Amino acid sequence: MATPTVVLLPVWGVGHLMSMLDTGKRLLARSGGSLSLTVLVMQAPTESYRSDVAGHAAISRLTCPVAALVIDFFGTTLLDTPRELAVPSYVYFTASAAMYALFLRLPALHEEVTVEFEEMEDMVDVPGLPPVPPPVLPSPMMDKKKPGYTWFVYHGRRFMEARGVIINTASELEQSVLAAIADGRCTHGVPAPTVYPIGPVVSLNPPAEQPHECVRWLDKQPLASVVLLCFGGGGFSTATQAHEIAHGLERSGHRFLWVLRGPPAAGTRQPTDANLVELLPEGFLERTNEKGMVWPTRAPHPRRRGGLRDARRVELHPGEPVS
């Protein structure tokens, strides 16, 4: 009999693709040969591309039994496919449990908040999290008229249809929000799919070439002493946001490595290299020179040679709040 396979369907972004592949490798290593992996590579979208049709056809043509389908959290349109094929479906969530809780809460917030979020006078309530100031919500949520917001609400609803949700986080880091999700507090008492915190999923292969400048700086710091701030390949900060982060870092007194990217140029979606003079408070770099490093462009990905070995540098204790 053919070995059952777990089908992975990541999206094309490197932060999604590589993380899910590493998760698949971990699953394969622990299966003891009882499972195989099939990866469906989703091409970058075009006007004529329809992921639901393509995914259904690819899965139904497999000759081995399909044990489960694991879908990237931006691919929830595909949740119809496993239901039609009687295959268990799981969502792979590359962000934090806090972000997942916000997604689950969003359909109800959409009904409760009749104005734009930036027009709210109160904080946003997300169970398991401190009160959330509206300006720090993800940018797709800041304009309800745009498709990005509609898709966020759509995904928040459809997550509830999955058998489970695999999150690239550690339970010790997000105890309160994981408890809120499990208790149904993010979904008005309706049980949410079981959450599997499996992270952090990071490849820590030793570099075989000259380490990146960020890594050389990290290697000079005491172990378990550096806070890493990096908001993903698409993350960026406005001057207002960067000032708030800078003030917090300076007041904390901790060593830090901050990957700071600037807002996208007009008509584009990707962050720009940061103009530190425009984004940071005056004198910040001079005052924090001995304890911090601000990197104004893309940082090396953990999978690449010489990538950031951040997990070896940050000390976190169970139950300690992370902000």
Side-chain angles (χ1 to χ4, degrees):
M1 182 176 176
T3 302
T5 190
V6 173
V7 178
L8 305 182
L9 185 58
V11 298
W12 50 90
V14 65
H16 295 249
L17 175 64
M18 304 311 296
S19 178
M20 188 183 285
L21 290 180
D22 280 337
T23 299
K25 292 177 183 177
R26 185 180 297 185
L27 175 64
L28 197 62
R30 296 188 178 186
S31 71
S34 61
L35 291 173
S36 65
L37 287 182
T38 300
V39 181
L40 301 184
V41 180
M42 186 186 298
Q43 302 299 316
T46 64
E47 290 184 359
S48 61
Y49 184 76
R50 289 188 56 84
S51 62
D52 51 344
V53 175
H56 187 288
I59 296 168
S60 61
R61 286 199 302 265
L62 291 173
T63 57
C64 54
V66 177
L69 174 64
V70 182
I71 302 169
D72 184 271
F73 74 95
F74 282 141
T76 59
T77 55
L78 271 166
L79 286 171
D80 293 329
T81 297
R83 183 169 56 248
E84 294 168 6
L85 300 175
V87 172
S89 60
Y90 296 84
V91 169
Y92 185 74
F93 201 84
T94 56
S96 64
M99 186 65 184
Y100 176 58
L102 176 60
F103 265 102
L104 291 178
R105 179 83 174 92
L106 185 55
L109 285 173
H110 177 66
E111 303 295 332
E112 297 168 11
V113 181
T114 57
V115 298
E116 295 288 354
F117 284 107
E118 63 183 358
E119 299 173 9
M120 290 180 61
E121 297 182 359
D122 299 325
M123 297 290 193
V124 178
D125 172 44
V126 180
L129 296 178
V132 180
V136 308
L137 292 172
S139 56
M141 291 181 57
M142 302 310 289
D143 189 343
K144 294 183 177 182
K145 298 182 294 295
K146 289 189 175 180
Y149 174 79
T150 303
W151 277 110
F152 267 44
V153 175
Y154 175 88
H155 293 315
R157 290 194 178 106
R158 298 222 60 183
F159 290 151
M160 297 292 288
E161 302 174 30
R163 175 76 64 87
V165 176
I166 304 165
I167 303 183
N168 186 11
T169 188
S171 57
E172 293 83 359
L173 298 182
E174 300 189 271
Q175 290 179 348
S176 61
V177 71
L178 287 170
I181 294 169
D183 294 343
R185 283 181 274 147
C186 298
T187 47
H188 282 205
V190 179
T194 302
V195 170
Y196 301 93
I198 62 164
V201 179
V202 179
S203 293
L204 298 175
N205 298 322
E209 57 187 37
Q210 181 66 21
H212 188 276
E213 183 178 346
C214 291
V215 177
R216 295 200 300 272
W217 182 87
L218 276 174
D219 285 340
K220 296 177 182 178
Q221 311 309 312
L223 288 173
S225 68
V226 175
V227 176
L228 172 66
L229 292 89
C230 183
F231 301 101
F236 62 88
S237 298
T238 63
T240 301
Q241 293 168 332
H243 275 229
E244 290 295 323
I245 295 172
H247 290 315
L249 287 172
E250 190 169 357
R251 290 173 59 190
S252 76
H254 288 298
R255 298 174 188 270
F256 64 87
L257 171 56
W258 182 6
V259 182
L260 176 60
R261 310 295 306 283
T268 67
R269 299 180 61 183
Q270 292 301 312
T272 56
D273 291 347
N275 185 324
L276 300 184
V277 174
E278 294 180 357
L279 290 179
L280 293 176
E282 184 177 356
F284 172 77
L285 293 176
E286 291 76 11
R287 294 192 297 272
T288 59
N289 182 54
E290 295 184 1
K291 285 194 172 183
M293 180 180 191
V294 180
W295 189 252
T297 186
R298 290 181 66 94
H301 191 276
R303 281 189 58 85
R304 297 175 186 148
R305 292 178 178 178
L308 297 180
R309 300 190 295 277
D310 52 275
R312 297 175 57 188
R313 297 289 168 180
V314 182
E315 183 176 5
L316 296 166
H317 301 286
E320 183 175 290
V322 179
S323 57

